[in-house]
Amino acid sequence: MLDKLENVLGPIAEKLNNNKVLIAIRDGFLISTPLIIGASVFLLIQNFPINGYSEFMASIFGENWSTYLGAVSGATFSLLAMINVICIGYVYARELGSEGMVGGIVALVSFLILTPQSHPNFVNDAGKSFSGFAYSNLGSSGLFLGMICAIVSVLIFNKIEKKGWVIKMPAGVPPMVAMSFSALIPAFFSMTFFFLLRIGVSLTSYNFAHDMIMEVLQAPLMGLGRLPIFPVLYQFFSTLFWFFGINGPAVTNTVFSPITTVLTQENLSVFLEFGMKADLPNIYTASFSDFFGNYGGGGSTLSLVICMLFFAKSQRLKQLGRLSIVPGIFGVNEMVIFGLPVVLNPIILVPFILVPVMNISLGYIATAIGLIPRTFGISIPWTMPIFFSGWLATGSFKAAFFQIFLLILGILVYYPFFKVLDKQYLEEETKGLESETDELDDISLSDISFD
């Protein structure tokens, strides 16, 4: 059974991991992650979840203290689509063998060609409409269009480049000058394609590509992401891949990450506008997945490590529990995955998959009925320890204590399977000791020779 499953999942994981488009989207998002986390820190300081905090800060730094912090988060989250277009274009060009930086710039320009640059609904006193790029098109609502623009524009660029339709400069010309001329014709083709596309879309009822993508693609995918089954499927497949020694999130994020990112940014946009009183639209976000699905890494193995630490009788599990508890608190569990091992271990398979799915399901229900609040959408490092992560992601101690409840529930689920494994290891250790004792008993003084 396990062999058949491995034969099916192995090739799928390999194909997903080697697909250049998926690599570009996944790694493009990863490049922008430090900026998002950095901006989230400023946002968290601006909206720290303690009653009276805002008034305390205002008494020290003045009434406008939060405006300065808001400039950092605004410069990042309001331009999220634009940032990711550059990052995805850069990675995809690199994967195809083109110059990464040129790919990123071509992707950005292509995206901006499709973006509205005049807004007739906003006019000045002279009756002239506002000209410029609106934040509403460059943030989370433009993410899907940005991804498509980055992939298509770089693909056109690379195809033209590989056909040899480039201007080649003579030897001796500085490399940067040669690169600029070399990119001229491929970039022109990409820009021309999106120019014609803009004209084509303007002739439809949608008028702009942003509106078309939002209605045709983004809204249906967001609807899928809001279904309760979506986070359950993500947890199930992420954990299943881990069981076969494959980094589960690295595989599943290539498919799920674009949807999760937009859901997260939707919550963040509302939170930026209304603060702690915001009515957040989505339950499932990136931080919800990080902090209510797994504790101690894939498979929520912090519960298993606690079992090893306090209830193990075999030396192997005792030692592994002592070594794994600190990394586990910070969400690192490779020592358990490969040291227990969890990989291809049929005894631990059931709780390893069941506990994260149970956690995310109960977390979803608890949020849906209002027991715990929804996550803000702020990016908090996934290594943030349990309790603190729940509190910072939601601003509520209820969520922090709910995490503890899930951790204890995980211990109860892991325990019977852990005992089977512990008994097995204890017997192996006992047999090993008896074997060593027997060998010592067989030694006799008559066996000693001085020849």
Side-chain angles (χ1 to χ4, degrees):
M1 175 68 181
L2 289 178
D3 289 340
K4 287 182 180 177
L5 203 54
E6 187 179 10
N7 290 336
V8 172
L9 291 176
I12 292 174
E14 190 176 352
K15 283 188 178 179
L16 289 174
N17 274 327
N18 294 329
N19 186 288
K20 291 179 179 176
V21 172
L22 295 179
I23 289 173
I25 294 172
R26 183 193 64 196
D27 292 357
F29 279 128
L30 284 176
I31 291 175
S32 64
T33 299
L35 294 175
I36 295 172
I37 293 178
S40 293
V41 172
F42 283 89
L43 191 61
L44 198 58
I45 296 171
Q46 186 183 1
N47 297 278
F48 207 69
I50 293 179
N51 290 334
Y53 169 77
S54 181
E55 291 76 9
F56 172 74
M57 293 293 282
S59 67
I60 299 175
F61 301 105
E63 290 298 324
N64 295 324
W65 69 276
S66 65
T67 307
Y68 299 106
L69 296 168
V72 180
S73 54
T76 307
F77 299 123
S78 299
L79 301 176
L80 197 65
M82 213 169 81
I83 293 169
N84 279 295
V85 165
I86 298 172
C87 297
I88 294 170
Y90 171 85
V91 177
Y92 193 46
R94 190 189 62 190
E95 289 293 317
L96 294 178
S98 296
E99 180 61 38
M101 182 56 73
V102 175
I105 294 170
V106 168
L108 174 63
V109 171
S110 301
F111 173 67
L112 293 177
I113 288 173
L114 293 181
T115 304
Q117 298 173 25
S118 178
H119 307 272
N121 292 334
F122 300 94
V123 293
N124 60 16
D125 295 338
K128 189 177 180 181
S129 60
F130 167 73
S131 294
F133 295 103
Y135 276 159
S136 58
N137 293 319
L138 305 179
S140 59
S141 61
L143 266 176
F144 271 85
L145 179 64
M147 282 188 280
I148 295 169
C149 286
I151 298 300
V152 175
S153 62
V154 171
L155 189 62
I156 294 172
F157 182 93
N158 181 260
K159 293 286 183 189
I160 299 300
E161 192 179 47
K162 283 188 174 174
K163 283 182 179 292
W165 297 355
V166 296
I167 299 173
K168 295 180 181 176
M169 301 300 288
V173 173
M176 291 304 294
V177 176
M179 188 184 73
S180 298
F181 277 92
S182 174
L184 198 155
I185 294 176
F188 178 78
F189 270 84
S190 290
M191 294 163 70
T192 303
F193 174 82
F194 283 94
F195 164 69
L196 295 175
L197 183 62
R198 179 181 175 116
I199 293 174
V201 174
S202 70
L203 299 176
T204 69
S205 59
Y206 294 106
N207 202 20
F208 289 108
H210 283 73
D211 300 328
M212 178 185 279
I213 292 297
M214 177 62 78
E215 187 169 331
V216 175
L217 181 64
Q218 188 160 329
L221 283 175
M222 291 305 97
L224 178 68
R226 290 187 183 98
L227 293 176
I229 193 67
F230 183 82
V232 174
L233 286 176
Y234 173 79
Q235 283 299 328
F236 176 79
F237 283 111
S238 293
T239 316
L240 189 61
F241 278 116
W242 263 126
F243 180 74
F244 292 101
I246 302 166
N247 188 323
V251 176
T252 51
N253 280 343
T254 55
V255 178
F256 286 80
S257 184
I259 300 175
T260 309
T261 302
V262 176
L263 292 174
T264 305
Q265 292 306 315
E266 281 184 354
N267 272 24
L268 186 60
S269 299
V270 177
F271 180 69
L272 282 169
E273 188 171 357
F274 299 102
M276 297 296 288
K277 295 179 180 176
D279 185 14
L280 303 170
N282 303 309
I283 294 177
Y284 188 70
T285 63
S287 50
F288 179 84
S289 172
D290 287 342
F291 304 131
F292 293 98
N294 292 294
Y295 303 110
S300 200
T301 52
L302 187 57
S303 297
L304 176 60
V305 171
I306 292 172
C307 286
M308 289 191 279
L309 196 62
F310 292 104
F311 308 119
K313 292 182 178 176
S314 66
Q315 285 302 315
R316 177 175 173 174
L317 292 186
K318 270 185 185 176
Q319 288 297 333
L320 187 61
R322 289 169 187 159
L323 292 171
S324 306
I325 186 64
V326 174
I329 290 171
F330 293 95
V332 178
N333 71 339
E334 273 75 3
M335 200 178 290
V336 178
I337 297 282
F338 300 104
L340 187 66
V342 168
V343 176
L344 297 178
N345 188 336
I347 297 174
I348 217 70
L349 170 63
V350 173
F352 185 72
I353 291 179
L354 177 62
V355 173
V357 170
M358 175 189 73
N359 289 346
I360 209 77
S361 302
L362 291 177
Y364 196 97
I365 293 169
T367 311
I369 63 175
L371 186 63
I372 60 174
R374 301 185 181 203
T375 51
F376 300 139
I378 293 173
S379 288
I380 299 169
W382 57 270
T383 50
M384 181 66 70
I386 184 173
F387 190 85
F388 297 103
S389 58
W391 173 47
L392 292 175
T394 63
S396 168
F397 281 110
K398 286 183 183 176
F401 285 111
F402 186 74
Q403 286 183 308
I404 302 296
F405 166 72
L406 291 179
L407 181 70
I408 295 170
L409 209 56
I411 293 172
L412 296 176
V413 175
Y414 263 113
Y415 185 78
F417 300 91
F418 152 78
K419 288 303 290 181
V420 173
L421 204 60
D422 188 43
K423 185 180 177 184
Q424 179 184 318
Y425 289 159
L426 188 62
E427 287 176 357
E428 289 175 4
E429 289 171 4
T430 307
K431 283 179 184 176
L433 285 174
E434 287 175 352
S435 174
E436 287 180 13
T437 306
D438 290 343
E439 287 175 5
L440 289 173
D441 289 343
D442 289 341
I443 297 174
S444 167
L445 288 176
S446 61
D447 295 330
I448 300 174
S449 171
F450 296 98
D451 294 337

